[in-house]
Every structure is written in structure tokens, then in C-alpha cells.
């Protein structure tokens, strides 16, 4: 990727994050990238092509892969805290805002599979962990997929609300939220530390 193309992609992704896909124009992208709009069209077919190129780049995706959850202790409480912390550390407010901007109808069909890689990685790692914990006799017999969705939804919800409203909705810190949520999960599944 040449430097000019990268500037165009970075400008487009920044604008989609800040304004949304539908409102972002090629004129806005060219201006922010510091290039002529003709240059933009020499490098890319259209706005959609630019944004899809950006989604493919690691710097514009949530940096979440199942391997980041490999450092488990096989103790449910600390491990759930680790899962939630790793997710919240990597899924930044910028990524949340960008993923919202990528949900435009004009782009959704192409962007959704790429954006869904983040929750899929989290859920896959969590399901693998729960299955192994069950084999080890450390998890009760229950619907593990439902439990994984509950943990993910709670983690995603906090991350989304913090990105959207910062501390204005609730002053609860990430650490406090994770600790309390894990206590509630453990209590709900009848797990004793």
C-alpha cells in the first residue's frame, strides 16, 4: 500500500468513525487526506472501496483474536475477569464508534462479516473455555452457549455505553464493573470460589 492510498484510507475511516458512512463524502475524505479528489478516484473505485479496504487493515479492526484469551488459570472467577478485561482493553471507544459508522445500509452486507469477527472471536474462545471447564468438572451442567452470550452481552454493553456516553451515564469504573459482574455470574450459576 503506497503512502497516498493509506492517507486516503485513514481519512475515510476517521470520518466514518466520527460522522458515519452515509454522511461522509469523497470530498471530505480527499480534504482530510490532503489530496485532490481526482487522486482519490485514481486509487479507489469509490467511497465504499476505500472503506472496505480500511476494514481489512488490522489498525482499523478490533484487535481481538482467540489467542489473547489463552492465559487462563482454570479458575472461573479470575478467568472471567481476564476475558472481560482483555475485551475492554482492545475494543476501544474509537473501534466502537467506527463499527457503528460501518452499519450503514449501503455498506452493511460487506462490512458485517468483518465487524462480526470481534464478537465471534470472544464467543468462540469463551465457549472453548467453558467446555474445558465442564470437562474438568469445574462448571455445572448448563447451557454454555447461553452463558457465553450473557458474559459477552454484559461486556459489550458496558464497552458500548462507555464509548457512547463516557462517564456521563454511570461513574462505575471498568474494574469495578468487571469485578461485580463476575460475582453476579458466579452467584447466578451457583459457583463457589
Amino acid at each position: 500500500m503506497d503512502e497516498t492510498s493509506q492517507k486516503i484510507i485513514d481519512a475515510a475511516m476517521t470520518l466514518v468513525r466520527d460522522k458515519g458512512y452515509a454522511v461522509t463524502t469523497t470530498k471530505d475524505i480527499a480534504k482530510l487526506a490532503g489530496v485532490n479528489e481526482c487522486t482519490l478516484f485514481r486509487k479507489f473505485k469509490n467511497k465504499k472501496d476505500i472503506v472496505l479496504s480500511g476494514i481489512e487493515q488490522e489498525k482499523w479492526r478490533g484487535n481481538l483474536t482467540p489467542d489473547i484469551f489463552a492465559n487462563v488459570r482454570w479458575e472461573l472467577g479470575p478467568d472471567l475477569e481476564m476475558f472481560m478485561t482483555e475485551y475492554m482493553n482492545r475494543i476501544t471507544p474509537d473501534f466502537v464508534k467506527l463499527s457503528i459508522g460501518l452499519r450503514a445500509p449501503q455498506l452493511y452486507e460487506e462490512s458485517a462479516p468483518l465487524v462480526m469477527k470481534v464478537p465471534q472471536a470472544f464467543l468462540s474462545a469463551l465457549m472453548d473455555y467453558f467446555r474445558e471447564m465442564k470437562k474438568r468438572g469445574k462448571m455445572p451442567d448448563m447451557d454454555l452457549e447461553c452463558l457465553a452470550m450473557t458474559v459477552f452481552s454484559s461486556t459489550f454493553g458496558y464497552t458500548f455505553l462507555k464509548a457512547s456516553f463516557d462517564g456521563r451515564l454511570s461513574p462505575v469504573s471498568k474494574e469495578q464493573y468487571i469485578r461485580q459482574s463476575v460475582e453476579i455470574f458466579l452467584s447466578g450459576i451457583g459457583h463457589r470460589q
Side-chain angles (χ1 to χ4, degrees):
M1 172 92 32
D2 65 78
E3 187 179 338
T4 302
S5 296
Q6 190 61 55
K7 282 182 183 178
I8 292 168
I9 288 171
D10 291 346
M13 299 306 276
T14 299
L15 289 165
V16 169
R17 179 195 66 208
D18 295 346
K19 297 171 38 171
Y21 179 82
V23 198
T24 297
T25 66
T26 54
K27 187 177 207 155
D28 294 334
I29 295 168
K31 182 178 179 184
L32 186 60
V35 299
N36 183 304
E37 200 170 1
C38 293
T39 302
L40 186 144
F41 288 114
R42 276 198 303 275
K43 300 284 185 180
F44 299 94
K45 290 184 278 187
N46 52 36
K47 175 174 74 168
K48 186 185 229 180
D49 186 38
I50 300 167
V51 173
L52 291 175
S53 296
I55 294 171
E56 292 288 343
Q57 294 183 346
E58 189 173 319
K59 73 185 275 183
W60 291 108
R61 285 196 316 255
N63 184 17
L64 199 70
T65 55
D67 60 296
I68 65 169
F69 303 115
N71 196 20
V72 295
R73 296 167 30 187
W74 305 112
E75 298 174 41
L76 192 55
D79 290 341
L80 285 176
E81 286 186 20
M82 180 272 299
F83 270 89
M84 294 176 79
T85 300
E86 290 297 336
Y87 180 93
M88 290 182 189
N89 286 346
R90 286 173 168 74
I91 305 306
T92 64
D94 280 350
F95 176 77
V96 172
K97 291 172 186 172
L98 177 61
S99 67
I100 292 167
L102 293 171
R103 285 183 169 84
Q106 309 91 320
L107 189 66
Y108 186 75
E109 194 170 311
E110 292 94 343
S111 68
L114 297 166
V115 173
M116 281 193 321
K117 286 182 180 183
V118 169
Q120 287 169 337
F122 186 86
L123 287 168
S124 173
L126 200 52
M127 285 296 298
D128 290 347
Y129 171 77
F130 286 157
R131 282 187 204 103
E132 182 60 30
M133 285 291 281
K134 191 172 180 179
K135 280 184 197 172
R136 292 174 180 231
K138 295 184 172 192
M139 289 284 299
D141 190 27
M142 61 186 309
D143 185 337
L144 299 179
E145 188 170 356
C146 191
L147 179 60
M149 281 299 293
T150 301
V151 172
F152 171 72
S153 297
S154 176
T155 307
F156 170 80
Y158 180 87
T159 306
F160 178 85
L161 293 171
K162 275 296 187 184
S164 299
F165 306 113
D166 198 27
R168 296 184 312 257
L169 182 64
S170 171
V172 175
S173 72
K174 174 178 73 173
E175 294 76 18
Q176 181 184 1
Y177 180 79
I178 290 170
R179 190 175 52 256
Q180 287 292 120
S181 295
V182 169
E183 285 179 23
I184 292 166
F185 292 139
L186 294 177
S187 175
I189 63 173
H191 183 78
R192 303 285 179 247
Q193 288 275 357

